[in-house]
Amino acid sequence: MVCNRCKMAVENIFKELHIPYSDLQLGVVTLEGTLKPTQREHIQESLHAIGFELIDDKNTRVIEKIKLVIIDYTRQPYQYLNRNLSEILCDNLFLEYSTLSALFSSVSGTSIEKYAIFQKIEYIKELLIYDELTLAEIAEKLNYSSTAYLSNQFKKNTGLTPTQFKNLNNPTALRRTLDQV
C-alpha cells in the first residue's frame, strides 16, 4: 500500500472479510488475533484481485518498509533536512545500513540509492505533468542543490531533459506507478 486509496482498499477487504485489526498503516496491517488458514487464503485472493500481495516473509517485510521510507523521504524531503537516507533508514528499521543495503540489493536487484533516485525521477515526472511548478521550484521542493543537477540526473535516468519530457504529446505514458519503480 503506497497511498491512502490503497489503504482504504485494504481496509475494505478486512472489513468485508470480518477480520479484526488494531492498526492499518501504509504497507502494514496489525491484526488483533491470529489468522486461520482460510482467512489467509481469502485475504490473499482479495488482495491479489486489486493488484496487491500478502507479505509475511520477514525479509520481504523489511524491503517493503525500506521502500515506504524512501517514498516518504522522496515526497517530503524537508521533513528530513540535514539527515541522509542511510541514517533515516537505520532509525526507522532498527538495523545497520550495511544489512539493509545488502538485503535490498539481493532481493530487488538494485541498490537503495538507485531506488531512491528512481522514486525522485518519477515524482519529478508527476510534478512536470501537473505543470504547477517551475523546474527551479521543483528542484527546491525536492532539495536538489541546483536546477542543473536535477536536469542532469533526470536526463541520465530518462534519456530526456525535463523540458523534452514536458513537451511530449503523452508524457503520462512514460510514468511508472510506485510499485513498478
Side-chain angles (χ1 to χ4, degrees):
M1 296 180 291
V2 294
C3 69
N4 286 330
R5 280 179 287 186
C6 299
K7 193 173 160 181
M8 286 177 16
V10 171
E11 186 174 27
N12 288 337
I13 288 171
F14 278 81
K15 285 180 179 177
E16 287 171 11
L17 296 174
H18 305 289
I19 298 172
Y21 60 90
S22 58
D23 191 31
L24 192 138
Q25 298 297 317
L26 293 178
V28 179
V29 178
T30 306
L31 300 176
E32 290 183 358
T34 307
L35 285 178
K36 297 174 186 165
T38 55
Q39 288 177 313
R40 179 179 299 282
E41 284 177 38
H42 290 306
I43 291 171
Q44 199 155 6
E45 288 169 7
S46 298
L47 289 173
H48 186 71
I50 60 171
F52 295 146
E53 64 181 281
L54 181 63
I55 300 171
D56 51 3
D57 166 71
K58 182 184 175 192
N59 287 341
T60 307
R61 282 193 310 259
V62 171
I63 298 298
E64 290 304 310
K65 285 181 184 179
I66 290 170
K67 288 180 178 180
L68 288 172
V69 169
I70 290 171
I71 290 167
D72 191 51
Y73 171 79
T74 302
R75 301 282 170 140
Q76 302 178 45
Y78 281 99
Q79 181 180 332
Y80 301 103
L81 278 182
N82 302 321
R83 298 185 67 208
N84 60 33
L85 181 57
S86 60
E87 178 185 338
I88 294 163
L89 287 169
C90 293
D91 289 350
N92 280 278
L93 287 109
F94 309 107
L95 291 168
E96 293 292 323
Y97 185 74
S98 59
T99 304
L100 296 173
S101 180
L103 177 63
F104 191 88
S105 297
S106 68
V107 172
S108 69
T110 190
S111 70
I112 287 174
E113 292 79 11
K114 283 185 181 177
Y115 181 79
I117 290 169
F118 295 152
Q119 284 294 340
K120 269 189 170 183
I121 297 301
E122 289 306 313
Y123 190 37
I124 293 166
K125 288 177 185 178
E126 180 181 327
L127 294 171
L128 289 169
I129 290 168
Y130 289 158
D131 200 26
E132 294 174 358
L133 301 172
T134 66
L135 195 56
E137 290 169 330
I138 293 172
E140 183 179 337
K141 179 180 177 75
L142 296 182
N143 207 20
Y144 275 90
S145 58
S146 70
T147 305
Y149 181 61
L150 179 150
S151 295
N152 288 337
Q153 192 174 64
F154 190 89
K155 182 163 184 159
K156 181 178 176 185
N157 284 278
T158 65
L160 300 168
T161 67
T163 304
Q164 289 170 328
F165 175 81
K166 200 172 176 177
N167 292 333
L168 290 173
N169 287 335
N170 187 9
T172 308
L174 294 179
R175 295 240 8 252
R176 294 189 286 175
T177 59
L178 290 175
D179 60 332
Q180 291 174 323
V181 175

